[in-house]
Amino acid sequence: MVKRYLPPMAAPAAAYALNRFLLVPLTGSRLLAWYGADFLAGGLMLCILNALLAAARRPPVRRVLPASLFLLGCGAFWEVVTPLYLARSVSDPWDILSVWLGGMAMLLWLRRFQA
């Protein structure tokens, strides 16, 4: 059951590598550098959550409200708590939206192709 989440996890991970090592250096785009990574992280977070739930033989997160609460919680932790202990981290509320949008995009993909 966990194997079904490997391709959806590989997609944002590969897109992150492409963004980080090719697109950002070529374009110098702050939008891609900052929000692109957070968008992809949201999708990856949801896949990891569902893979862990599958490993525990629990049903995956498929509804918008539970997925939103999880993603907003992760984004808020990342943007509010992480800067308290990691000096190079900064807080940007728009990153929380990027994480949520990425997770919602992945949720739509999972609902459509993994019915």
Side-chain angles (χ1 to χ4, degrees), residues 54-111:
R57 301 188 189 278
R58 305 285 298 163
V61 173
R62 295 278 190 207
R63 295 181 326 183
V64 171
L65 183 60
S68 291
L69 292 174
F70 171 73
L71 292 163
L72 292 171
C74 288
F77 182 88
W78 195 340
E79 296 304 319
V80 176
V81 177
T82 302
L84 298 176
Y85 66 85
L86 187 62
R88 69 174 193 262
S89 181
V90 296
S91 184
D92 180 1
W94 291 107
D95 286 346
I96 298 171
L97 178 63
S98 296
V99 168
W100 181 80
L101 287 172
M104 288 297 103
M106 181 59 75
L107 180 66
L108 291 174
W109 191 90
L110 290 172
R111 288 170 71 173

Side-chain angles (χ1 to χ4, degrees), residues 1-24:
M1 218 37 172
V2 173
K3 290 181 193 176
R4 70 188 278 176
Y5 293 102
L6 293 179
M9 280 193 275
Y16 175 81
L18 178 71
N19 182 43
R20 170 75 170 84
F21 298 112
L22 185 63
L23 295 176
V24 171

Side-chain angles (χ1 to χ4, degrees), residues 13-49:
Y16 175 81
L18 178 71
N19 182 43
R20 170 75 170 84
F21 298 112
L22 185 63
L23 295 176
V24 171
L26 286 176
T27 64
S29 171
R30 290 182 181 174
L31 181 67
L32 287 175
W34 296 341
Y35 302 117
D38 293 324
F39 178 85
L40 295 168
L44 189 58
M45 286 178 203
L46 189 61
C47 286
I48 291 170
L49 172 65

